[in-house]
Amino acid sequence: MRYQRSSTLFNEAQKSIPGGVNSPVRAFKSVGGTPVFVKKAKGAYLYDADGNTYLDYIASWGPMILGHAYKPVIDAIKTRADKGTSFGMPTALETEIANLALKMIPNMNKIRFVNSGTEACMSAIRLARGTTQREKIIKFKGCYHGHSDAFLIQAGSGAVTFGSPSSPGVTRGTAKDTLLADYNNLNEVSSLFNQFPEEIAAIIVEPVAGNMGCIPPKEGFLQGLRSLCDQYGSLLIFDEVMTGFRLAKGGAQELLGVAADIATYGKVLGGGLPVGAFAAKSEIMKHLAPDGPIYQAGTLSGNPLAMSAGLAMLQALDSDEEIFSRLASKTEHLEIGFKEVLKGKDIPYHINRLGSMISIHFTEEEVVDFETAALGNNERFNIYFHGMLDEGIYLPPSAFESYFLNDALTFEDIEKTINSFRKVVSNL
Ligand SMILES: *Cc1c(COP(=O)(O)O)cnc(C)c1O
């Protein structure tokens, strides 16, 4: 049996780890079946516990943008490890990566490192609230900003309403400070500002949404958010945990030409080690401890192993002028190939893509927000996912996730993927 060993390992894991996994999407709940247990990975390939090989389209959900076990990153980690792995004291390495990151990111001149994207976003809203002395935030339905309480909020009955907790354990008190709007819908944001003109500390947004499949912002959407924030004295937070160091050196801010007040990072930034960060202008960052009163801290923040991995990753990305356009053209190749395969077939679909983020939704409607993303045919997606998996193509195990291409994928690998899709389509 193809997944025998994974299945055994999964059963074992479930005895000691809730659901057998340390992050829910890994459990294959939405697509069914047995999660694949990985043994190792190199370049574009994953190798599982049963000896199966896969072309990887999730890249650890983004970080492995240059492929797995990328040598300069691995070498940096090994070299650094010999000198000690944590001190709880500052190192010159932290300044070095901070300077390089700030050179790559537009509009910002200070950056604080943390250990995950969740922490970065959680800290960013505290910074925004402390700076503006306001309490409410606006987030968009279907955007994910990590699992801290303020973000685990979904809509109540009305389209624009107070949020209600989307997880037990999140208090109503927390939920009442998170206002919700539909992605790509400026009118809703505008009416929230009308309703609470002096209470909104910040808007937090994925400048290109990647947690409901890939959904690019409509023309003028981000610019509109920028103007509303300026008009009402609120801060604009770009959650670039996914898009940062992936869409361009300077992330979505650079690619789409809209400036945020605070930007959060993670994923690629850590080169595969646990790293997050938030960046802002000095006028805002001066309020953060120890310069100012807004508290934020971390025993392992700026950890030398993580910083050396991140630095090696940023150096590789910064020195390759073609990396982001190459990734985009590989992804475009995949998009064109998939569309060829689907041409004339009676399978409604929409493919959204921006740069090296892409996803397919099996629906007739254009996918512009959570509601339209949710119209996708789940049953068809599951057959597609498992068909591709059996072909040795590892895709995100949920229609609500973007694919992340990595530069180790060759055009031949992508052709192979398209051919696999051709076989799988006949079962859809
Ligand atoms: C992954 C992700 C996060 C959370 O990062 P973690 O490192 O998983 O905590 C936050 N925001 C966005 C946009 C993400 O994609």
Side-chain angles (χ1 to χ4, degrees), residues 58-65 105 111-112 114-124 143-147 151 204-211 237-253 260 262-279 313-314 317 324 356-357 401-402 404:
I58 68 165
S60 184
W61 303 99
M64 317 320 300
I65 190 168
I105 304 167
I111 186 166
R112 167 68 57 88
V114 294
N115 305 291
S116 67
T118 294
E119 257 188 89
C121 295
M122 179 185 87
S123 306
C143 279
Y144 180 68
H145 307 293
H147 63 93
F151 302 124
I204 185 164
V205 63
E206 288 181 63
V208 178
N211 286 289
I237 304 173
F238 274 8
D239 179 350
E240 296 232 38
V241 171
M242 220 174 235
T243 52
F245 309 103
R246 169 164 289 278
L247 293 182
K249 277 187 198 180
Q253 283 196 95
I262 304 175
T264 60
Y265 297 91
K267 299 197 167 110
V268 174
L269 177 62
L273 265 64
V275 177
F278 55 105
M313 176 60 86
L314 294 198
L317 296 176
F324 299 105
S356 57
M357 291 166 65
E401 303 285 354
S402 170
F404 299 103

Side-chain angles (χ1 to χ4, degrees), residues 282-326:
S282 309
E283 307 91 272
I284 295 173
M285 278 295 202
K286 73 179 182 199
H287 301 294
L288 195 70
D291 285 346
I294 302 170
Y295 198 67
Q296 192 281 322
T299 301
L300 290 173
S301 293
N303 172 269
L305 274 195
M307 294 293 96
S308 52
L311 181 61
M313 176 60 86
L314 294 198
Q315 282 167 339
L317 296 176
D318 188 48
S319 61
D320 184 345
E321 291 305 324
E322 252 108 65
I323 175 71
F324 299 105
S325 57
R326 195 164 60 237

Side-chain angles (χ1 to χ4, degrees), residues 18-244:
V21 293
N22 282 308
S23 196
V25 74
R26 295 177 200 165
F28 276 25
K29 273 232 154 155
S30 82
V31 289
T34 301
V36 171
F37 275 61
V38 182
K39 212 156 139 193
K40 61 176 186 179
K42 178 75 189 160
Y45 287 89
L46 290 168
Y47 304 88
D48 78 4
D50 286 276
N52 302 310
T53 304
Y54 306 85
L55 274 175
D56 180 19
Y57 282 88
I58 68 165
S60 184
W61 303 99
M64 317 320 300
I65 190 168
L66 299 177
H68 290 280
Y70 179 66
K71 195 166 182 311
V73 171
I74 302 301
D75 288 348
I77 295 171
K78 284 183 178 162
T79 309
R80 192 68 219 184
D82 281 336
K83 298 175 187 163
T85 56
S86 184
F87 316 113
M89 292 161 72
T91 59
L93 187 57
E94 291 160 79
T95 313
E96 202 181 339
I97 184 172
N99 286 340
L100 179 54
L102 290 170
K103 188 190 102 177
M104 294 170 78
I105 304 167
N107 309 315
M108 307 296 173
N109 40 33
K110 288 269 166 80
I111 186 166
R112 167 68 57 88
F113 287 93
V114 294
N115 305 291
S116 67
T118 294
E119 257 188 89
C121 295
M122 179 185 87
S123 306
I125 55 160
R126 184 178 305 139
L127 179 62
R129 285 169 163 162
T131 299
T132 57
Q133 315 246 324
R134 296 173 174 188
E135 300 199 345
K136 295 193 189 304
I137 57 165
I138 296 176
K139 86 169 274 282
F140 296 94
K141 279 183 247 172
C143 279
Y144 180 68
H145 307 293
H147 63 93
S148 87
D149 286 3
F151 302 124
L152 290 183
I153 309 292
Q154 68 185 11
S157 46
V160 181
T161 178
F162 285 113
S164 60
S166 61
S167 164
V170 176
T171 65
R172 284 184 301 264
T174 297
K176 84 173 178 23
D177 286 327
T178 301
L179 306 169
L180 286 155
D182 285 312
Y183 196 76
N184 274 324
N185 190 329
L186 269 181
N187 287 339
E188 289 187 0
V189 179
S190 187
S191 73
L192 287 172
F193 274 110
N194 274 332
Q195 231 179 315
F196 306 101
E198 296 187 348
E199 291 175 62
I200 295 165
I203 299 176
I204 185 164
V205 63
E206 288 181 63
V208 178
N211 286 289
M212 38 187 168
C214 169
I215 302 185
K218 281 187 185 163
E219 191 74 44
F221 175 59
L222 298 174
Q223 289 82 352
L225 298 180
R226 176 70 276 168
S227 323
L228 284 167
C229 282
D230 292 341
Q231 188 183 340
Y232 288 93
S234 302
L235 300 178
L236 181 60
I237 304 173
F238 274 8
D239 179 350
E240 296 232 38
V241 171
M242 220 174 235
T243 52

